[in-house]
Amino acid sequence: MLYFRMILMMLVNLYTSRVVLNALGVENFGIYNVVGGIVVMFSFLQGATTTATQRFLNYELGTTDGKNLLKVFSSSIEVHIFIGLICMCIAESIGLWIVCHKLSIPIESRDASIWVYHFSVFTFFINMINAPYNAAIIAHEKMGVYAYIAIVEVIMKLLVACSLVYFLFDKLILYAALLFIVALIIHIVYLFYCRICFCECKFKFYWDFTFIKKFFSFSSWMLMGSLASLLSTQGVNILLNIFFGPLVNAARGVACQVQAAVNSFALNFMVAVNPQIVKSYSQQKLDYMYHLVFASSKFSFFLLFIISIPLLINTDLILTLWLKNIPEYAVLFTRLALIDILFQVLNIPIGVISQASGKVRNYQLIMALFFSLIFVISYIAFEKGAPAYSTFLIAIFCTVLGTIGRILVLKKMIDFPVLIYLKKVVFPVIIIFLFSLPVLFLSDIYWNIKSSLSAILFFSLLIVSLFSYLIWKIGLSSSERFFFIQKLQQIKNR
């Protein structure tokens, strides 16, 4: 079910972006991205506390009694409400000042942008208090339910986008208001399902100082990494707005939509694997945990690799078919964003090891360092007159260095088997990539000549099939092939 969800959500999200871009126009689309991005900057708190909630729930479920589940869940609800209220206060003061006085927004769109900002803040708060319920569903590995709710949410967002053309009211404000209503409905669905199906989700007030301290200690280091990650995304988005204006934000918005759609395949695969990694650690089944990490690292990379190849070669044509109006720089930004996500995906499974162990300080510090460098170097580059696309090149460079740094930190922290990781993950990935280079080069030349839609579809299928075969025969070991088939069957049966 998760795989059906992935494909459906990718298609719907991409089509929704097209509808929204056409309904709002390029400039308003860029305004929505940068104004909403101010609020998204607060999501680093949500991401950190959600990860902490899921980690503690998974750890308790991995123990024999799980007697602290109610305490963990109830305490996490209290923490999320508390942090959500603080974020709303900051957002409606400092954040609103940034929107009103620092962003490059046309005068005629300023009032609408402020309303968009308010609705985005309300949507953020709803998503914040919904995070523990989402974590509970994933911790219990109810992936079918998780997929169904996500499908309902993405379809509702599509209906919102399609409805914009039927209203005379300001479309920018209407879009933000309707997305808030969607978030509220989804929260109600999560709340009722979890209260009915999971006994620990019946909220009861607790104030366990020992657990709260442990929760905030874990979350605080996660916050550092999340904040730095946000600087590398939304912070850079603001820099692009200041140096180049909202049209470049629109191009980056398109690139990020494609990147997020492709990345959702790896993220959804890891949703099914993450609980098993944490539970394996809590039960001290370290051999099985490393097997999960190595296999999921390769599967995630190869999955994105075969999806990204036809997109990289035919970005111009695909964006033309997808969007009626392609923002300037969107093609180049999209290609660079796809390359960046291929490097990023290797970091997801090894990051779960750090979370499972609870020893997140040094790992998050190295993450924060390289994410912050993306923002800092981009700012310096823009000040020196570098083009807008240079921030993507900087991000790719920092991602590669950051991966090396994370592996070395894990080696020192929990004696991570670096040599085995290189042998089982890095070397197969490099081999497949080197195999692909001549094929990509020749197909790129051919498709520049034969650019009809039928030729694109035929050769896309041909190359994806070829790379899939190479990955299956060369990239994966026999045990990993068996593991992959077994996991697919398990997910299908849920």
Side-chain angles (χ1 to χ4, degrees):
M1 188 62 198
L2 277 177
Y3 295 95
F4 173 74
R5 168 190 180 272
M6 284 188 286
I7 296 172
L8 179 63
M9 287 187 67
M10 183 184 74
L11 295 176
V12 173
N13 280 329
L14 292 176
Y15 182 72
T16 300
S17 299
R18 169 180 173 164
V19 174
V20 172
L21 178 59
N22 290 327
L24 297 182
V26 174
E27 188 170 74
N28 278 345
F29 184 75
I31 290 171
Y32 180 82
N33 271 278
V34 71
V35 171
I38 298 291
V39 179
V40 172
M41 290 186 70
F42 290 96
S43 67
F44 74 94
L45 293 167
Q46 178 185 339
T49 53
T50 300
T51 301
T53 301
Q54 193 168 321
R55 186 266 173 187
F56 284 107
L57 286 175
N58 283 331
Y59 200 93
E60 284 298 323
L61 287 170
T63 61
T64 54
D65 49 23
K67 60 182 179 181
N68 292 322
L69 279 173
L70 178 59
K71 183 186 298 182
V72 169
F73 181 82
S74 297
S75 298
S76 69
I77 288 287
E78 296 162 10
V79 170
H80 279 81
I81 292 175
F82 175 72
I83 294 177
L85 291 174
I86 292 178
C87 287
M88 286 189 70
C89 293
I90 297 174
E92 290 293 349
S93 54
I94 299 174
L96 187 59
W97 177 80
I98 293 174
V99 172
C100 294
H101 300 285
K102 291 298 179 181
L103 295 185
S104 174
I105 298 173
I107 296 176
E108 63 273 14
S109 300
R110 286 194 176 275
D111 289 341
S113 67
I114 292 173
W115 278 106
V116 167
Y117 182 76
H118 290 317
F119 279 118
S120 298
V121 171
F122 298 149
T123 302
F124 163 78
F125 181 75
I126 294 297
N127 290 333
M128 186 75 183
I129 62 177
N130 188 59
Y133 296 97
N134 183 290
I137 289 177
I138 294 175
H140 284 276
E141 299 184 61
K142 299 294 183 182
M143 301 308 171
V145 175
Y146 175 76
Y148 284 126
I149 295 177
I151 289 171
V152 171
E153 181 179 9
V154 77
I155 290 175
M156 290 176 68
K157 289 181 178 179
L158 174 61
L159 295 175
V160 165
C162 293
S163 68
L164 293 177
V165 297
Y166 298 103
F167 292 93
L168 298 177
F169 190 73
D170 189 296
K171 291 180 172 56
L172 198 56
I173 299 175
L174 181 64
Y175 183 59
L178 291 177
L179 287 184
F180 165 70
I181 294 173
V182 170
L184 185 61
I185 293 172
I186 294 300
H187 171 64
I188 293 172
V189 172
Y190 269 111
L191 188 149
F192 277 97
Y193 175 82
C194 290
R195 285 181 62 87
I196 292 171
C197 297
F198 309 135
C199 59
E200 73 271 14
C201 292
K202 294 177 175 63
F203 176 77
K204 182 178 180 180
F205 181 78
Y206 279 96
W207 190 255
D208 186 327
F209 181 76
T210 302
F211 174 77
I212 294 292
K213 181 180 178 182
K214 187 187 299 183
F215 187 93
F216 270 107
S217 176
F218 184 93
S219 299
S220 61
W221 292 112
M222 297 298 297
L223 287 175
M224 178 177 292
S226 298
L227 177 59
S229 175
L230 215 54
L231 272 178
S232 71
T233 53
Q234 297 305 323
V236 167
N237 206 29
I238 294 174
L239 289 180
L240 289 171
N241 178 266
I242 294 172
F243 283 94
F244 302 100
L247 295 182
V248 173
N249 289 122
R252 189 176 186 277
V254 170
C256 290
Q257 288 280 350
V258 176
Q259 184 189 55
V262 172
N263 193 35
S264 65
F265 281 80
L267 293 178
N268 280 279
F269 176 77
M270 289 306 303
V271 163
V273 179
N274 287 352
Q276 290 297 318
I277 294 175
V278 179
K279 291 172 185 176
S280 299
Y281 184 88
S282 70
Q283 297 165 357
Q284 289 299 294
K285 298 179 180 178
L286 299 184
D287 289 340
Y288 181 64
M289 182 191 72
Y290 285 128
H291 172 70
L292 286 173
V293 170
F294 296 160
S296 59
S297 296
K298 291 169 66 174
F299 295 154
S300 298
F301 180 90
F302 289 146
L303 182 61
L304 296 197
F305 184 70
I306 61 175
I307 293 171
S308 298
I309 286 171
L311 297 178
L312 286 167
I313 296 174
N314 301 290
T315 311
D316 199 349
L317 176 63
I318 291 170
L319 292 185
T320 301
L321 295 173
W322 171 33
L323 306 170
K324 292 180 181 178
N325 301 311
I326 303 177
E328 190 178 2
Y329 306 116
V331 173
L332 178 59
F333 284 8
T334 300
R335 284 173 173 160
L336 293 174
L338 288 173
I339 294 171
D340 185 36
I341 203 64
L342 282 174
F343 291 102
Q344 286 186 35
V345 75
L346 290 175
N347 295 324
I348 300 175
I350 61 176
V352 181
I353 299 178
S354 170
Q355 296 164 18
S357 69
K359 303 173 183 178
V360 296
R361 184 190 64 182
N362 292 341
Y363 188 89
Q364 292 298 315
L365 284 173
I366 202 71
M367 276 183 58
L369 172 63
F370 286 101
F371 279 136
S372 299
L373 282 175
I374 296 174
F375 178 83
V376 172
I377 298 174
S378 295
Y379 176 77
I380 295 172
F382 293 157
E383 282 283 356
K384 298 294 183 180
Y389 68 82
S390 61
T391 188
F392 289 93
L393 300 176
I394 294 166
I396 294 169
F397 177 73
C398 290
T399 298
V400 174
L401 291 182
T403 301
I404 297 172
R406 296 181 203 206
I407 294 172
L408 295 178
V409 166
L410 285 177
K411 171 64 177 177
K412 183 177 180 180
M413 187 172 67
I414 57 172
D415 196 26
F416 181 76
V418 176
L419 293 179
I420 299 177
Y421 180 77
L422 292 175
K423 178 182 177 181
K424 292 191 173 183
V425 178
V426 177
F427 291 160
V429 163
I430 292 175
I431 291 172
I432 291 298
F433 180 75
L434 292 177
F435 263 106
S436 71
L437 290 179
V439 179
L440 287 173
F441 178 75
L442 293 174
S443 60
D444 188 29
I445 294 176
Y446 180 78
W447 283 352
N448 285 333
I449 299 172
K450 295 280 188 177
S451 57
S452 67
L453 180 60
S454 59
I456 292 297
L457 292 175
F458 174 77
F459 283 103
S460 294
L461 180 61
L462 180 64
I463 286 189
V464 167
S465 300
L466 174 62
F467 288 157
S468 298
Y469 178 79
L470 290 175
I471 289 168
W472 188 257
K473 289 295 185 181
I474 301 174
L476 303 179
S477 65
S478 57
S479 61
E480 288 168 342
R481 290 194 288 268
F482 175 77
F483 170 79
F484 181 74
I485 294 173
Q486 188 181 46
K487 283 296 176 183
L488 283 180
Q489 291 173 342
Q490 290 177 0
I491 295 171
K492 181 180 177 181
N493 294 331
R494 284 180 183 142

